[in-house]
Amino acid sequence: MTKKYKVLFLCRENSARSIMAEALLRELAGHRFEAFSAGPEPALRVHPLAVAQLRPGVSDLGVLCPKSWLEFTGEWAPRMDLVVALDETVAANHAPVFPGNPALCSWDFADPLADGVADAERVRLFEKAFWQIVRQLSAFIDSPKYAVPAAVPARATPLHDACTRAPANLPNL
């Protein structure tokens, strides 16, 4: 029997990339993974362009909201198996200590909320980030390395390897 892995996606404002990753992992493989997202400076709401990318295929948008990563650091917080930084400013050396000693990794995607971007270009950046996340998550989900017996401690799992290795067949957008 295998356990359901808990994955936390981190992004600075937790309003775009990490929200899309959380929603997509829940939609694509919610039966195998519990997905969460957070950030050090959570926005007041999910960015409307992130919602626009998710709306066609994601059924439960109502549960998505920006959260502080501090919600995942206390004794009461769920024990993550994997923490994925989607923003270089929240990479492992900047992130807080999460209970349970989860594996940490980075998936680097361009920030669709970067300053100085025209509206038409911002829409294209959101679409690009969405499809990059879809491809990375698909490769991650399809990797046989995440499925280990529940008796094996989370730190001993090969999740980190599946996370850090970019699939060779993914083109750069």
Side-chain angles (χ1 to χ4, degrees):
M1 180 166 182
T2 60
K3 72 175 197 167
K4 198 170 182 180
Y5 287 101
K6 292 180 178 71
V7 180
L8 175 62
F9 296 100
L10 300 177
C11 211
R12 187 173 44 87
E13 292 182 358
N14 186 222
S15 67
R17 291 168 289 178
S18 53
I19 288 284
M20 289 189 288
E22 173 189 0
L24 286 166
L25 184 58
R26 187 178 295 124
E27 186 73 17
L28 297 171
H31 61 290
R32 294 186 293 188
F33 297 94
E34 286 185 61
F36 305 89
S37 67
E41 303 167 18
L44 296 176
R45 62 184 171 87
V46 175
H47 196 282
L49 291 175
V51 173
Q53 288 297 318
L54 294 169
R55 188 169 311 280
V58 178
S59 56
D60 198 6
L61 295 174
V63 301
L64 300 174
C65 66
K67 297 168 286 308
S68 171
W69 60 10
L70 296 178
E71 291 183 29
F72 297 92
T73 61
E75 292 178 29
W76 60 91
R79 300 299 189 251
M80 296 299 149
D81 296 297
L82 177 65
V83 175
V84 181
L86 301 175
D87 182 331
E88 62 195 27
T89 64
V90 297
N93 57 342
H94 299 290
V97 175
F98 295 101
N101 201 20
L104 301 171
C105 70
S106 295
W107 293 349
D108 199 19
F109 302 116
D111 185 1
L113 296 173
D115 291 332
V117 176
D119 289 344
E121 178 67 8
R122 188 166 315 284
V123 171
R124 193 188 73 71
L125 290 174
F126 264 90
E127 185 174 340
K128 178 181 177 180
F130 174 85
W131 287 110
Q132 287 175 329
I133 292 167
V134 167
R135 284 191 284 263
Q136 185 70 41
L137 282 173
S138 295
F140 174 70
I141 291 165
D142 289 343
S143 172
K145 294 188 174 195
Y146 76 87
V148 295
V152 175
R155 193 67 176 151
T157 65
L159 274 173
H160 182 72
D161 293 339
C163 178
T164 57
R165 227 180 42 252
N169 60 346
L170 294 183
N172 289 329
L173 294 177

